[in-house]
Amino acid sequence: MRSSKSSYLRLLAVAYVSLLPLAPGAPASVSAADDPLGAAVEAARKTHDEKQLQSLKGQLEQSIVQNPNDAGIYLDLARVHEYFLDVYEMRKDKKAAGEAVDKAIDVAQRSIQLNDKSADAHSLLADLYGRKISLGNPMFAGPKFGPKVKEENAQAMALDDKNPRVWASLGRQYLMIQWRAQARHFRAG
């Protein structure tokens, strides 16, 4: 009996990890030719090169100074912070990962303040809230950020129900709900 439970949890973990790269790699609404900085952000996502991420962060921050009302720049910067989060999690540096997710959330929220019609921004924010739960104590972070994940994903779905990033984020939300339910079941039984 214990073996089937372990297999199920492993299957859920594999499914979750396999869904992680779907959203960031999905085609954006603007082509790479139209947004060379966006293409560089996508390249940094693939390599997790910290120097490249630092350079992009600097370029994006400089672009924000020049265009403080461009929601797309804030969205790209939030993604860069999310990729820093990936780097720090691979290193098992929880403190740096926590700081990176907080910065990414702040920047994503600013992007939404400037353009609340961006399904990509709402999806990213939902994913970041989910990552905040996984970095903290789920018993305390779950009730605080879980409803925010659901709300942001619902907003993203209402804005663009054909966007693959929106669907990937929603899938991660449901997977985490299912995973937590199974974990509670296994602890009880």
Side-chain angles (χ1 to χ4, degrees):
M1 183 79 170
R2 183 58 89 187
S3 169
S4 66
K5 290 179 182 177
S6 296
S7 297
Y8 184 75
L9 283 177
R10 255 186 264 124
L11 176 66
L12 281 175
V14 169
Y16 179 74
V17 170
S18 67
L19 283 174
L20 281 174
L22 285 180
S29 56
V30 176
S31 73
D34 296 336
D35 183 14
L37 206 49
V41 170
E42 178 60 18
R45 177 192 71 81
K46 292 176 182 175
T47 63
H48 288 106
D49 181 339
E50 196 168 354
K51 288 181 183 176
Q52 186 180 17
L53 289 169
Q54 283 292 352
S55 173
L56 279 170
K57 179 180 165 239
Q59 291 175 49
L60 289 164
E61 288 171 343
Q62 189 174 24
S63 293
I64 286 172
V65 170
Q66 295 168 355
N67 304 304
N69 295 321
D70 187 334
I73 298 172
Y74 284 96
L75 182 59
D76 283 343
L77 183 57
R79 285 187 179 126
V80 167
H81 283 295
E82 181 188 27
Y83 305 149
F84 273 117
L85 170 61
D86 294 338
V87 170
Y88 300 142
E89 281 185 324
M90 284 188 268
R91 278 196 216 146
K92 309 252 187 262
D93 186 346
K94 270 191 122 170
K95 182 180 178 188
E99 292 170 4
V101 76
D102 289 340
K103 288 176 186 174
I105 287 170
D106 289 343
V107 178
Q109 287 172 335
R110 178 68 180 139
S111 177
I112 290 171
Q113 286 173 351
L114 293 169
N115 177 12
D116 67 345
K117 302 295 184 212
S118 170
D120 286 340
H122 285 283
S123 271
L124 177 60
L125 188 55
D127 284 339
L128 293 169
Y129 285 142
R131 306 260 322 251
K132 184 84 172 162
I133 294 169
S134 68
L135 284 172
N137 181 339
M139 187 167 78
F140 298 111
K144 180 177 181 180
F145 294 105
K148 292 180 179 187
V149 171
K150 184 177 179 180
E151 179 184 328
E152 292 300 328
N153 272 331
Q155 184 70 27
M157 187 61 72
L159 290 167
D160 186 358
D161 65 354
K162 303 217 181 331
N163 185 323
R165 292 176 194 228
V166 171
W167 281 99
S169 180
L170 190 63
R172 285 186 289 275
Q173 172 191 333
Y174 288 132
L175 182 61
M176 291 308 295
I177 290 169
Q178 187 65 21
W179 199 344
R180 280 185 237 126
Q182 287 298 319
R184 281 192 300 271
H185 172 73
F186 292 139
R187 281 190 296 247

